[in-house]
Each structure stands twice: as C-alpha cells, then as structure tokens.
Amino acid sequence: MTLLDVENLHVYYGQIHALKGITLHVDPGEIVTLIGANGAGKSTTLKTISGLLRPREGRITLSGQDLAALPAHEVVAKGVVQVPEGRRIFGQLTVHENLSMGAYTRTERDGIDGDLERIFTLFPRLKERRAQVAGTLSGGEQQMLAIGRALMSQPKVLLLDEPSMGLAPVLVEQIFETITGINQLGTTVLLVEQNAYMALQIAQRGYVLQTGEIALSGSAKDLQANVEVRKAYLGG
C-alpha cells in the first residue's frame, strides 16, 4: 500500500507554472529520490507536500488522508516532516533546545526523552555538544542537528532537501550513511539531492524532474544505467 501519494500536482509562483502535473508515490520503508537540474521543481515539490506552498490543482495523501489543504504544522502532526535546504536550525538556541523544538507537537514526556537519547546515539557529536549554541556548530553538525530535530517529530515520511549541500566529501558520505541507517530503522524517506550519484546509490526508486515535470521514473538501478541520466546527472 502506498504511504505518500502525490497526484497531478500543479503549483504556481504568481504567473509562473512551477509544477506541471507532478505524480509520484512513496511506499512504506522506501527511500525515493527526486533528481534534476536547479530550477526543475524538486524543492517546490517538497515544500508543497509539507504544506509550505498551496497547489492550484492536485492531491496529496498520506495513507489515504488528504494533506493538500492542511497548514504546515498540521502536516507535521500527521507525520510528514521536512528537513529544509540550508538546515534552518535555530541558531541562538542550544542543540538540546533545537531538538526539543522538534517535539513541539508531542505531549508524552517519556517518549520524548527516549527519542532524544536515540538521537544522541545516532549522532554522538550532538550529545557532546548538547549545551552548545547551535549557530556555532560546523556545517556537518548543523545538518545532523536538522535531521535529528525532524526525527524528534516521529515522522512517517521524512522529506530531505539537499542534505549534502555545502559539506566536505567525507561528511557527505557520513550523511548518506546516516540516511540509510534512519531508513533501516523504519523511517520512509523522500530525498531531494543535487548529488544524483549518491542519491541513486541509497534509493530504491527515483524520479527525474525537468522544468516542473517528471521526465523519467524507475528503479534506482535502472536510472543509473539510463544513458540520458548518466550524461546529464552522473558525469558519464
């Protein structure tokens, strides 16, 4: 059964038709990636799913429940949580305070404390820096914090927007290993990533966006083997 279903999504910025009938789905337990050039509509797709943008047409459902008309905070409460491009942490708050903000829709104290410890197990560096002001962390640490904050919301689907952007190569590998680990622990992931090679390495399926439309879709393995995909996005 499909977990997240997006059907015939049309989104505009004023008169600019940014998404032109996007249809995609994510099944439980998958990592699905959206790849494409800058301006193709990848981030717009995530922002629309997460309630930050309103579609003019189309449906977005989570386990059959309509999300398209909900405000962003209610989308989070339903279980769709986005890690935005550029991390967007609360720079003046501590690491611990940032993580606590991720649980703002929750009320059960014991569950929150347990999840906080799981985040610290996943990201030991954050535990070491739990009292540190988040704005003073390195780029890689801030990305860990942004992901950890999202996980504190107990997402059914985690939306990741360019998690490797601006990171050194060794940290890029670490972030992708972390995404794989999160998925193996049971979190479904929809990943937007400029590094198409790495994204297709960890995803089960993918969609290629071009100027607001889906040009190709298929298994990650098939997309890696596709001549046009290799030429345009994989450097081969």
Side-chain angles (χ1 to χ4, degrees):
M1 179 181 177
T2 295
L3 179 58
L4 178 67
D5 196 31
V6 175
E7 182 180 349
N8 193 35
L9 207 61
H10 290 263
V11 176
Y12 289 75
Y13 292 105
Q15 297 301 312
I16 298 173
H17 197 174
L19 299 184
K20 307 168 186 174
I22 295 291
T23 295
L24 59 88
H25 73 275
V26 184
D27 293 335
E30 283 192 307
I31 299 177
V32 174
T33 187
L34 308 181
I35 62 175
N38 288 333
K42 306 184 301 297
S43 293
T44 298
T45 300
L46 292 196
K47 289 178 181 178
T48 306
I49 292 171
S50 63
L52 297 172
L53 294 173
R54 284 279 174 264
R56 190 171 295 183
E57 296 180 44
R59 297 179 72 243
I60 305 167
T61 58
L62 181 72
S63 299
Q65 185 174 13
D66 185 23
L67 299 181
L70 297 180
H73 69 280
E74 291 187 20
V75 174
V76 170
K78 295 295 183 185
V80 178
V81 183
Q82 181 171 349
V83 178
E85 180 181 340
R87 295 135 192 149
R88 305 289 181 88
I89 59 166
F90 300 105
Q92 300 304 311
L93 301 182
T94 66
V95 167
H96 185 273
E97 288 167 340
N98 267 269
L99 293 172
S100 296
M101 288 297 293
Y104 82 97
T105 60
R106 301 170 58 187
T107 57
E108 75 291 5
R109 188 71 255 166
D110 290 345
I112 291 172
D113 290 343
D115 283 346
L116 185 62
E117 288 307 312
R118 280 187 279 274
I119 298 303
F120 286 147
T121 300
L122 185 64
F123 299 115
R125 190 70 62 84
L126 296 183
K127 186 172 185 177
E128 296 171 6
R129 287 160 170 70
R130 62 190 301 165
Q132 186 170 328
V133 174
T136 65
L137 298 175
S138 70
E141 291 165 346
Q142 289 187 15
Q143 186 63 68
M144 295 173 192
L145 180 57
I147 293 173
R149 182 182 60 187
L151 291 175
M152 288 296 294
S153 300
Q154 293 186 317
K156 296 175 183 175
V157 182
L158 182 64
L159 310 179
L160 294 171
D161 195 354
E162 303 286 5
S164 75
M165 180 178 288
L167 300 183
V170 64
L171 292 176
V172 170
E173 291 189 13
Q174 184 178 349
I175 288 295
F176 277 97
E177 288 174 1
T178 299
I179 295 168
T180 300
I182 290 168
N183 177 249
Q184 290 173 345
L185 291 172
T187 301
T188 302
V189 176
L190 179 58
L191 168 67
V192 160
E193 178 54 54
Q194 197 69 26
N195 189 332
Y197 175 79
M198 292 294 291
L200 291 172
Q201 285 289 311
I202 68 168
Q204 285 80 48
R205 294 189 300 109
Y207 295 86
V208 179
L209 271 63
Q210 291 181 358
T211 59
E213 299 179 276
I214 292 176
L216 288 169
S217 65
S219 71
K221 184 177 180 180
D222 287 345
L223 290 176
Q224 285 177 298
N226 182 282
V227 173
E228 293 302 317
V229 172
R230 293 181 64 85
K231 181 179 179 181
Y233 308 111
L234 303 179

